[in-house]
Amino acid sequence: MITVGDNKSRGDDFVMIIEHFEGNWAVVVYNNSTFNLPKELLPKGAREGDAINLLVTLNSETVTEYDEDIDLLSNKYFK
């Protein structure tokens, strides 16, 4: 296992190491924990041992649309 020591994030940008691949999944290391990410989210040509940045942001517009859909379905089926 690759150990990533004191892996600091910069804002909402997280640095991870690709440890290995399992089928359509990349096993990545962040703060000495492993996580699976779909390979399709990785840049083309990403390989084992590469460092990747994962940027996490909120998408309020999509959440609002989802909430509206849930409200419509709730009103239709539960009232």
Side-chain angles (χ1 to χ4, degrees):
M1 167 175 304
I2 298 169
T3 301
V4 179
D6 197 29
N7 197 353
K8 303 284 186 199
S9 65
R10 293 179 294 278
D12 294 326
D13 190 8
F14 301 95
V15 178
M16 301 179 172
I17 304 295
I18 301 171
E19 184 177 82
H20 66 274
F21 294 99
E22 293 179 3
N24 289 326
W25 296 94
V27 178
V28 298
V29 178
Y30 173 73
N31 275 350
N32 299 318
S33 297
T34 58
F35 299 91
N36 294 337
L37 291 176
K39 283 170 96 173
E40 64 193 33
L41 296 180
L42 299 178
K44 290 185 187 230
R47 300 180 313 208
E48 293 179 8
D50 284 348
I52 59 171
N53 295 331
L54 178 65
L55 177 63
V56 179
T57 62
L58 291 176
N59 185 328
S60 299
E61 184 177 313
T62 300
V63 170
T64 301
E65 290 174 13
Y66 179 76
D67 286 343
E68 290 171 2
D69 290 344
I70 294 297
D71 287 343
L72 288 172
L73 289 172
S74 294
N75 289 334
K76 181 176 180 179
Y77 291 107
F78 297 112
K79 291 192 179 190

